[in-house]
Amino acid sequence: QVQLVETGGDSVQAGGSVRLSCAASSTTYCMGWFRQAPSKEREGIAAIGTDGKTAYADSLKGRFTISRDNAKQMLYLQITSLEPEDTAIYYCAAGLRTRACFSGDWGTPASIPHWGQGTQVTVSS
């Protein structure tokens, strides 16, 4: 079982930025970030492989940057130009299927074996 702990969530003004971190007890090839807004389904944001290969949700490209430090077993998500619509709980995930890191095809949340507890990002206008 991979243990994942997210930190970095905050309440920020629109236009600001946040950097989310995820500490992992161990890593898998493909790891990613998801988010879930109130009354909405969990959606994939980005995924990254141990080789640095990345994939992003088409609708979220541009303001989100995923990165990882394999030596430190850390995963990061930088979000810029925050909008109120970015308000959500942000989750780190591990064990994504390989093609998630190539095409953004991350499958359903139920198919992903490892999740963190989430970190809240609230954006006010």
Side-chain angles (χ1 to χ4, degrees):
Q1 183 73 12
V2 177
Q3 305 295 323
L4 303 168
V5 179
E6 303 97 332
T7 56
D10 202 356
S11 294
V12 297
Q13 294 280 335
S17 63
V18 292
R19 187 189 193 214
L20 307 180
S21 299
C22 173
S25 61
S26 61
T27 61
T28 63
Y29 168 71
C30 191
M31 299 179 67
W33 286 97
F34 291 70
R35 70 180 183 181
Q36 189 164 15
S39 303
K40 292 190 176 180
E41 294 185 353
R42 193 167 299 190
E43 64 172 342
I45 300 170
I48 185 169
T50 51
D51 54 4
K53 180 69 177 176
T54 59
Y56 290 88
D58 287 339
S59 62
L60 298 177
K61 284 180 179 177
R63 297 188 299 113
F64 295 78
T65 303
I66 190 170
S67 61
R68 66 191 286 172
D69 185 326
N70 294 322
K72 295 181 179 179
Q73 298 186 158
M74 294 291 295
L75 187 70
Y76 304 100
L77 183 70
Q78 180 78 36
I79 314 172
T80 60
S81 302
L82 281 158
E83 305 169 351
E85 293 73 25
D86 295 319
T87 295
I89 300 174
Y90 286 72
Y91 296 92
C92 174
L96 279 66
R97 53 194 185 187
T98 299
R99 61 179 180 268
C101 281
F102 285 82
S103 64
D105 181 12
W106 18 74
T108 65
S111 69
I112 297 170
H114 310 293
W115 292 95
Q117 84 290 346
T119 187
Q120 177 73 46
V121 175
T122 302
V123 185
S124 57
S125 58

